[in-house]
Amino acid sequence: MSERIEALAQKVDAQLRGQVRRTAALAHELAYMTDAARLVEVCRTLRDAPQLKFEMLMDLAGVDYLDYGRDDWQTSSATRSGFSRARVARTDHPDPDEAARFAVVYNLLSVSHNQRVRLSVKVPDTEEPVIDSVVGVWAAANWFEREAFDLFGILFRGHPDLRRILTDYGFIGHPFRKDFPLIGNVEVLYDPVRGRVVYQPVSITPRVLVPKVIRHDHRYEAALKDPEVPR
């Protein structure tokens, strides 16, 4: 962990102690999680606190944790029983938020201090995933939240114009949900008899895209790497 990241972590902890929880991240990244009820308050603090000043929302993305923890990858050998889809037991340090299916992730940038942070929040209700909008904190969230609504079906309370932004008019379903079929439900084509575009049930044959075996790639063996030249 770099000194720069640790210095930023100390600033975040000083402003938001008890409101955020630090989560695992790469060595050059800083990530936190907060509760849905505190989301807007935490976001305002991240934006307005002089030591933080995260003025820009660079990205907002939905996440679907359906089937999270399943082992769908055979990493060294195949089995006669087919794909491995057994639930991985997770008894060590259980996550209290693990039951929540959907989450929203916010990637923030401070132009003033040239620093970044990632904030995540689990959506409490899986059946009716609703979370507060942060459009009032960062105007850029407007289209990002519409995208998360369109693709994941996450609703943003207080959004000024929450409607689909990427899919077609009258589209049914949310294509980035893990239980949405990869081939879709309908297909679009031009009907020369009717003289217009029509929708019909999809005619593509479903395919399983999970690889059964990941074989060792000898190209990345240490013995085949060029020796480092001292500078």
Side-chain angles (χ1 to χ4, degrees):
M1 188 66 65
S2 68
E3 294 182 2
R4 180 179 176 85
I5 292 297
E6 283 303 323
L8 176 57
Q10 292 178 11
K11 296 175 184 178
V12 173
D13 294 339
Q15 295 291 332
L16 294 169
R17 190 176 305 277
Q19 300 182 66
V20 295
R21 307 182 291 281
R22 192 165 175 178
T23 58
L26 298 177
H28 61 283
E29 296 180 344
L30 184 62
Y32 286 91
M33 177 172 285
T34 188
D35 297 326
R38 295 175 171 173
L39 173 63
V40 176
E41 177 186 358
V42 167
C43 288
R44 286 203 179 101
T45 301
L46 289 170
R47 183 195 64 182
D48 298 338
Q51 297 297 319
L52 303 177
K53 293 187 70 65
F54 288 100
E55 311 102 328
M56 295 188 65
L57 173 65
M58 300 300 295
D59 188 25
L60 181 157
V63 182
D64 184 359
Y65 286 102
L66 182 68
D67 295 336
Y68 179 68
R70 288 183 180 273
D71 180 12
D72 288 339
W73 298 72
Q74 289 288 345
T75 56
S76 58
S77 61
T79 64
R80 295 182 178 180
S81 57
F83 295 103
S84 172
R85 299 188 181 275
R87 181 75 177 179
V88 176
R90 304 185 65 192
T91 57
D92 56 328
H93 307 292
D95 183 357
D97 300 315
E98 188 177 353
R101 173 177 173 180
F102 297 104
V104 181
V105 180
Y106 306 80
N107 290 302
L108 309 178
L109 169 66
S110 170
V111 178
S112 302
H113 301 301
N114 188 26
Q115 55 195 18
R116 297 173 184 267
V117 73
R118 181 168 62 251
L119 179 68
S120 303
V121 58
K122 291 288 186 72
V123 182
D125 191 345
T126 297
E127 297 301 323
E128 187 177 350
V130 181
I131 199 168
D132 290 329
S133 171
V134 296
V135 171
V137 183
W138 299 288
N142 192 318
W143 282 17
F144 289 143
E145 290 180 349
R146 285 180 59 188
E147 183 181 54
F149 161 68
D150 191 357
L151 300 180
F152 290 93
I154 300 172
L155 302 169
F156 293 87
R157 186 186 298 109
H159 190 285
D161 185 25
L162 192 61
R163 54 193 170 94
R164 291 185 183 271
I165 191 172
L166 293 176
T167 56
D168 197 7
Y169 300 106
F171 188 89
I172 298 175
H174 304 283
F176 274 19
R177 288 190 173 187
K178 296 293 181 63
D179 52 2
F180 192 87
L182 292 177
I183 60 173
N185 292 314
V186 297
E187 60 186 18
V188 183
L189 54 85
Y190 179 76
D191 188 337
V193 177
R194 302 180 185 180
R196 62 180 176 85
V197 171
V198 297
Y199 290 84
Q200 66 180 27
V202 67
S203 58
I204 303 174
T205 302
R207 293 185 303 161
V208 177
L209 300 183
V210 179
K212 190 172 184 179
V213 179
I214 303 177
R215 293 181 173 84
H216 178 67
D217 193 335
H218 65 84
R219 294 176 298 172
Y220 299 103
E221 291 183 359
L224 299 179
K225 292 184 178 180
D226 294 331
E228 294 186 3
V229 179
R231 297 185 179 183

